[in-house]
Amino acid sequence: MDDYTGIGGSFLQSELPRKSGVEAIGDVPWGTHFCLLYKTAEELLEVLVPYFVQGLAENEFCMWVTSELVDVEQAKAALSAVVPDLNARIASGQLEIRHYTDWYIQDGQFDGERVLRGWVEKVEFAEQLGFEGLRLTGDTFWLEKAVWRGFAQYEEMIHHIIGVKRILALCAYPFPKCDIRETFDVIANHDFALHKEDSRWLSFKSASRQRLGQALRESEGRQQAILEAVQDAIIAFDKSGSIYSINAAGARMFGYDVRELLGADVRLILPEKLATEFGVSYSRQRHNVRGSRETKGRRRNGEFFPVDLTLTATRHNNAPMFVGSVHDLSEKHEAEARLKRIQIDRLAAMGGIAAGLAHELNQPLAAMKTYLKIAERMVAAPPDKRPVSIEDALARAGEQVERAGRIISSLRGLASHGEPNKLIQSLHELIQKACDCYAASLGDRHISLVLNLGAEKDTVLVDGVQIQQVLINLIKNAKEAMAESKTRSLVISTSMAEGEKIQVDIADSGPGILDEIKSQLFEPSHSTKAGGMGVGLPMSRVIIEAHDGRIWAQPDLEQGAIFSFTLPLLEPVNLEGAA
Ligand code: ADP
């Protein structure tokens, strides 16, 4: 037969179908949930014996829950007639035959959620032991009117779980015991029903179930597509914490397959207190959203990660249900931590620069004070007794004021661009502009400039003024380094670097970097120049790192120095592709 596909089984149909062992049924996929409407114990055994013989032969874990009509001993006797090594199969754990009072009923009560969890544990256990899956049957001969509704709800719930697990479930119902309404319930809750008429086994399913199945498949397909488009995890679980729905992106977030999480305890992936026991209440009338809060998720490898969880309590099939929407905060946290590190580094660098500046400013200020003191003394002395003229002393003091002004203005760049004002720009254009500014001055010093702007991409998101400041500083350093050199060449090149970055190299033919400052080149206050302050490179580092780039110098070259930096490239967004 080929019409077994109800809503169950749809997830696993890519796998090979299982042999049911029952001629009237043929092959069925994992996830099939069907029922047998039997009239006598003989009819029951006629279907169940070949069903289990096939399951045992196919290396499946088999579980038979019996009732008074055919009890454990009778079931064993019927099976051992055709399975010679039955006891060995039972001893090896491949087959369990239990009485319903030992499975469906506990403390005199039927609890659908507990039984459902039991099946999920059984199938996990079966897979762990290396069996193909779980083949089960449960006889409902014991079912009384009082618990009929609860059992029908359980059947509806189990249908969704079975549909995505390696489970074949055959529910046996004594036909004469069910009234018409109950029979409809039974058929509606299964993929199909098996029934013997005039010594022929027939299988059928209700037309409404077929229509419902079709509508559900379409609606599930739509929902699936929507949930697939969502990057967050959307998890639905019952009041005991058992997950009965999760989207694929959600399962991936925690490192699992959807199938592995269905029926699992939600605390496996959200270990912190969250559901009913954790203060979320539900109301009959309306959804009760309890806002979102930050908590921890746990991945399959045991790693905890920060998540934003929004939990909603609602009801489904008259039972409480919780829907959690989980947003992974790892990337956000990492970005925040990185920004904090940059800010701390930046503060440290600026602190160092300020200390260097204070040190530098001390000199002109002290000299200025001396010249002003001399001028003051000269005013008091008669003109013919003055060793230097007042004008001269004031002019010297004026020179020192200018020097102090230069020191301060060299820091203006950094101070006035505290936060980068980033725009999308072409880095090649910025390099070109910086070179244009310096062309005349390089020409005066007989320095040849070569531009090798070879990077295939150069679109960057940067503060153009700051990046030009870095370029000008590196060009100026190269120019100053080559003041005494015979060959004076400056080569600026660009290339693609690892991690979607562009690299800029500024190479000169000067004497190279002095050994004593090599290791602290980018720390404040390491200048080897007469009027230098040693803040150009630290400032460049602060700027480049604030742009998520890196700056470094290549030490120990045979000749000259190469200063390099990288910047992240900006991928142009292809809006057409998204449509
Ligand atoms: P400053 O130029 O004021 O000294 P920088 O921070 O720009 O400050 O540079 C610090 C020191 O690094 C310079 O004094 C110099 O010794 C060394 N340096 C920088 N660029 C070069 C270069 N291209 N070649 C050799 N040494 C360099």
Side-chain angles (χ1 to χ4, degrees):
M1 66 186 288
D2 59 3
D3 62 340
Y4 48 70
T5 44
I7 52 172
S10 53
F11 288 84
L12 295 164
Q13 281 180 11
S14 52
E15 293 188 46
L16 284 178
R18 314 299 300 173
K19 291 187 172 65
S20 72
V22 182
E23 209 187 308
I25 301 173
D27 295 350
V28 286
W30 281 126
T32 304
H33 177 213
F34 60 109
C35 67
L36 165 67
L37 300 171
Y38 65 88
K39 290 185 279 297
T40 60
E42 288 69 38
E43 278 189 14
L44 183 68
L45 290 173
E46 205 179 313
V47 172
L48 292 189
V49 169
Y51 174 69
F52 281 117
V53 168
Q54 191 70 47
L56 292 172
E58 301 282 323
N59 190 37
E60 294 170 14
F61 175 67
C62 298
M63 187 147 163
W64 184 343
V65 183
T66 66
S67 66
E68 281 94 359
L69 186 72
V70 172
D71 66 14
V72 175
E73 287 316 312
Q74 287 164 314
K76 267 190 202 165
L79 266 183
S80 63
V82 274
V83 182
D85 60 347
L86 189 78
N87 286 336
R89 302 265 189 179
I90 293 173
S92 75
Q94 192 188 359
L95 173 67
E96 270 185 44
I97 305 179
R98 290 191 183 201
H99 197 239
Y100 75 93
T101 48
D102 187 23
W103 183 255
Y104 287 120
I105 309 288
Q106 252 177 33
D107 304 326
Q109 287 228 321
F110 169 73
D111 175 352
E113 281 178 19
R114 182 189 50 75
V115 176
L116 192 56
R117 266 200 312 283
W119 290 130
V120 171
E121 279 163 22
K122 282 285 173 206
V123 72
E124 280 167 7
F125 173 73
E127 285 176 11
Q128 274 163 21
L129 290 187
F131 294 115
E132 301 292 317
L134 167 66
R135 179 177 293 230
L136 69 92
T137 193
D139 186 14
T140 58
F141 190 77
W142 55 274
L143 206 54
E144 296 302 332
K145 282 239 176 305
V147 285
W148 180 266
R149 279 251 52 87
F151 198 83
Q153 273 171 12
Y154 150 81
E155 286 275 36
E156 201 177 329
M157 239 157 46
I158 199 172
H159 197 77
H160 291 276
I161 298 287
I162 289 175
V164 291
K165 298 246 173 222
R166 282 194 165 79
I167 299 180
L168 289 187
L170 197 174
C171 306
Y173 286 85
F175 194 37
K177 267 181 99 178
C178 316
D179 63 23
I180 294 279
R181 202 185 142 197
E182 289 166 352
T183 310
F184 278 132
D185 268 357
V186 172
I187 296 170
N189 280 331
H190 293 86
D191 290 331
F192 60 89
L194 199 60
H195 175 61
K196 195 170 189 178
E197 230 176 78
D198 301 331
S199 69
R200 270 184 62 227
W201 283 105
L202 301 172
S203 75
F204 55 93
K205 56 180 159 188
S206 75
S208 67
R209 172 141 209 107
Q210 255 171 313
R211 274 197 302 277
L212 182 69
Q214 176 66 24
L216 271 172
R217 267 197 300 280
E218 281 168 15
S219 138
E220 277 186 356
R222 256 195 308 275
Q223 272 183 25
Q224 202 70 22
I226 294 167
L227 289 177
E228 272 309 299
V230 178
Q231 285 313 301
D232 290 351
I234 310 289
I235 312 165
F237 54 96
D238 63 23
K239 71 176 192 299
S240 71
S242 174
I243 298 174
Y244 55 85
S245 159
I246 183 164
N247 57 334
R252 263 198 310 279
M253 180 188 293
F254 295 99
Y256 292 90
D257 237 35
V258 169
R259 216 175 49 210
E260 292 173 298
L261 287 178
L262 292 175
D265 193 316
V266 70
R267 280 158 286 210
L268 176 73
I269 52 175
L270 292 169
E272 292 207 342
K273 297 189 165 200
L274 50 99
T276 35
E277 54 172 306
F278 323 106
V280 172
S281 59
Y282 55 87
S283 77
R284 244 162 222 284
Q285 292 80 20
R286 53 201 349 230
H287 290 192
N288 184 353
V289 181
R290 272 301 176 100
S292 71
R293 67 181 177 89
E294 203 175 315
T295 177
K296 286 205 163 31
R298 180 164 51 199
R299 295 197 216 276
R300 184 187 212 126
N301 61 8
E303 175 203 340
F304 286 92
F305 65 106
V307 295
D308 190 51
L309 169 70
T310 306
L311 208 54
T312 308
T314 179
R315 297 187 78 84
H316 177 63
N317 276 347
N318 215 25
M321 173 172 95
F322 300 93
V323 180
S325 153
V326 183
H327 182 66
D328 188 342
L329 293 175
S330 318
E331 269 186 28
K332 184 170 168 254
H333 277 211
E334 273 162 31
E336 280 168 1
R338 219 177 55 220
L339 192 67
K340 217 171 217 141
R341 270 199 311 275
I342 289 175
Q343 279 167 347
I344 290 170
D345 279 5
R346 209 166 162 187
L347 274 179
M350 283 170 96
I353 291 168
L357 180 71
H359 175 76
E360 284 295 318
L361 277 175
N362 251 345
Q363 280 181 350
L365 288 174
M368 213 188 313
K369 199 172 152 197
T370 311
Y371 289 124
L372 289 174
K373 267 252 157 5
I374 293 172
E376 199 183 6
R377 256 190 260 130
M378 294 306 105
V379 172
D384 54 330
K385 294 269 163 60
R386 292 174 187 164
V388 286
S389 70
I390 297 176
E391 290 80 3
D392 195 24
L394 287 177
R396 301 262 177 119
E399 277 169 21
Q400 295 306 317
V401 171
E402 271 175 27
R403 186 175 162 203
R406 274 201 306 278
I407 292 171
I408 290 168
S409 76
S410 70
L411 269 203
R412 213 174 36 211
L414 193 63
S416 61
H417 303 292
E419 276 307 313
N421 178 19
K422 294 183 180 177
L423 294 173
I424 298 174
Q425 331 230 9
S426 149
L427 187 60
H428 288 165
E429 271 175 30
L430 290 176
I431 295 174
Q432 195 68 57
K433 271 189 204 160
C435 291
D436 289 348
C437 285
Y438 252 77
S441 145
L442 293 175
D444 287 350
R445 305 268 178 116
H446 307 291
I447 295 172
S448 74
L449 171 66
V450 177
L451 289 185
N452 283 334
L453 306 181
E456 296 113 55
K457 297 184 202 167
D458 76 326
T459 309
V460 285
L461 182 68
V462 296
D463 183 323
V465 180
Q466 289 195 354
I467 297 301
Q468 281 214 45
Q469 205 177 330
V470 173
L471 288 162
I472 287 173
N473 187 46
L474 296 177
I475 297 170
K476 178 174 140 290
N477 277 351
K479 184 190 86 177
E480 288 171 358
M482 292 188 286
E484 308 292 326
S485 306
K486 257 203 207 140
T487 44
R488 296 178 188 180
S489 103
L490 176 62
V491 182
I492 303 180
S493 38
T494 63
S495 55
M496 301 297 284
E498 212 178 297
E500 273 303 286
K501 295 209 163 119
I502 181 167
Q503 179 169 332
V504 182
D505 297 299
I506 297 172
D508 63 56
S509 58
I513 301 154
L514 289 175
D515 276 351
E516 55 266 36
I517 62 161
K518 223 180 332 196
S519 61
Q520 295 158 315
L521 210 47
F522 294 92
E523 308 289 319
S525 279
H526 283 93
S527 179
T528 56
K529 300 171 194 167
M533 285 203 314
V535 292
L537 290 178
M539 208 156 76
S540 303
R541 178 170 73 103
V542 168
I543 292 172
I544 294 296
E545 286 179 358
H547 282 83
D548 287 329
R550 200 166 74 79
I551 185 165
W552 70 97
Q554 291 184 31
D556 309 322
L557 293 174
E558 258 181 36
Q559 205 211 344
I562 303 180
F563 280 81
S564 310
F565 66 86
T566 56
L567 287 173
L569 282 163
L570 194 71
E571 270 301 313
V573 181
N574 183 0
L575 289 175
E576 273 172 36

